[in-house]
Amino acid sequence: MKRNTWQREAVKSALDTQDAFVSAQQLHSALRDDGTGIGLATVYRALADLAESGQADSLQSTEGEALYRACTPGQHHHHLICRNCGLTVEIEADAVEQWARKVAAENGFTQPEHVVDVFGLCADCSKPAP
Amino acid sequence: MKRNTWQREAVKSALDTQDAFVSAQQLHSALRDDGTGIGLATVYRALADLAESGQADSLQSTEGEALYRACTPGQHHHHLICRNCGLTVEIEADAVEQWARKVAAENGFTQPEHVVDVFGLCADCSKPAP
DNA sequence: TCCTTATTGATAATGATTGTCAACATCATC
DNA sequence: GATGATGTTGACAATCATTATCAATAAGGA
Ligand SMILES: [Zn+2]
Ligand SMILES: [Zn+2]
Ligand SMILES: [Zn+2]
Ligand SMILES: [Zn+2]
């Protein structure tokens, strides 16, 4: 049976305070800075569990790192992500959902899934340097 | 100046024979099996160059590997990929392009880019086992 | 042909992630 | 509240894809 530990709680609430996708290592540093003596492996495990149970979304950065973000559970959605600061906004798109199903079916593919992410520079990061 | 070597040609034509996304290591094995004594680092460099110049597309597998696929140069497109055998089909979707630009603009994001991939089981892989 | 220098490839180094395993903590049960 | 079975932790080692090194090689312009 799954047990409740302060480590899992700590990872979950640390993730909740982030408005950007973060790596396991970043989160581990943040937790250490908060004075908790949590282990790195534990952070990796907790994040994997959260992703598994749908409480967090994950994506692979172009550098190959796995990044995590707390997300609205039980609701299919995608993300609009700032390339500079990581700020992330959840987006929905029924049109894209339907398109994905349609294009799969048209090509004889079954059990379609999809990866849809939009990257850009957020309003703040779009401002020219002073 | 960029020089032409048989190694780069070999990687390019090996990639052209694949109808699926493949890793650098897979391609290196295939090239070694063909009797060429090409080095692994060279395959990595050639693939990076091909991706850089738009002659190949790349994506990160869920396991964190970088996968490559020869693609139609100079034409923006996405991919429909079989989760089982890797068979890959290029797809276009103006509607998705416009949606991505729109959702970015609506949230104050500039310089939008996007990642859109559809995964499923191809017709062959959808057939029940005999 | 000669020479400059981009390229190669064997190998070491890197870095994120996972495996190991003894010590520990949770929680159903007493 | 105490007990015990067992899920969990964390320091560390191991793994594995990718990148950096660097001496040897080979393109290709002169
Ligand atoms: Zn930003
Ligand atoms: Zn979707
Ligand atoms: Zn298939
Ligand atoms: Zn597109």
Side-chain angles (χ1 to χ4, degrees):
Chain A
M1 179 212 310
K2 191 91 53 177
R3 294 176 184 173
N4 297 322
T5 64
W6 65 263
Q7 287 94 335
R8 273 202 260 266
E9 287 303 319
V11 170
K12 181 156 175 28
S13 54
L15 196 62
D16 283 337
T17 69
Q18 303 283 337
D19 61 359
F21 273 85
V22 294
S23 68
Q25 317 244 4
Q26 285 177 304
L27 217 52
H28 180 241
S29 291
L31 284 162
R32 281 293 175 92
D33 291 345
D34 289 347
T36 69
I38 194 170
L40 178 57
T42 303
V43 175
Y44 273 99
R45 285 186 287 240
L47 286 173
D49 284 350
L50 289 171
E52 175 82 19
S53 68
Q55 299 180 86
D57 279 326
S58 67
L59 60 83
Q60 304 278 333
S61 77
T62 49
E63 290 79 31
E65 267 181 309
L67 303 180
Y68 296 87
R69 172 87 210 281
C71 77
T72 313
Q75 179 186 329
H76 179 82
H77 58 259
H78 299 280
H79 297 98
L80 173 58
I81 304 163
C82 176
R83 272 195 298 276
N84 184 242
C85 70
L87 174 69
T88 298
V89 180
E90 290 189 2
I91 53 183
E92 291 179 60
D94 287 337
V96 174
E97 308 303 323
Q98 291 167 27
W99 166 81
R101 274 193 293 273
K102 180 161 162 288
V103 72
E106 285 175 352
N107 288 275
F109 279 60
T110 61
Q111 301 177 42
E113 297 176 8
H114 54 270
V115 173
V116 172
D117 292 300
V118 181
F119 297 86
L121 293 178
C122 73
D124 280 352
C125 293
S126 295
K127 291 174 185 166
Chain B
M1 179 212 311
K2 194 109 6 190
R3 294 175 184 174
N4 296 322
T5 64
W6 65 263
Q7 286 94 336
R8 272 202 260 267
E9 287 303 320
V11 170
K12 182 158 175 26
S13 55
L15 196 61
D16 284 337
T17 68
Q18 302 283 337
D19 61 359
F21 274 84
V22 293
S23 68
Q25 316 244 5
Q26 286 176 306
L27 216 53
H28 179 243
S29 290
L31 284 162
R32 280 294 174 92
D33 290 347
D34 290 346
T36 69
I38 195 170
L40 178 58
T42 302
V43 175
Y44 273 100
R45 285 185 288 240
L47 286 173
D49 284 349
L50 289 171
E52 175 82 19
S53 68
Q55 298 178 84
D57 279 325
S58 67
L59 59 82
Q60 304 278 335
S61 78
T62 50
E63 290 79 31
E65 268 181 308
L67 304 181
Y68 295 87
R69 171 87 210 280
C71 77
T72 313
Q75 178 185 331
H76 180 83
H77 58 260
H78 299 280
H79 296 98
L80 173 57
I81 304 162
C82 177
R83 271 195 299 277
N84 183 241
C85 70
L87 173 69
T88 298
V89 180
E90 290 189 1
I91 53 184
E92 291 180 60
D94 288 335
V96 174
E97 308 303 325
Q98 291 167 27
W99 166 81
R101 274 193 294 273
K102 181 161 163 288
V103 72
E106 284 175 352
N107 288 275
F109 280 61
T110 62
Q111 300 178 43
E113 297 175 9
H114 55 269
V115 173
V116 172
D117 291 300
V118 181
F119 297 85
L121 293 178
C122 74
D124 279 351
C125 293
S126 295
K127 291 174 185 166

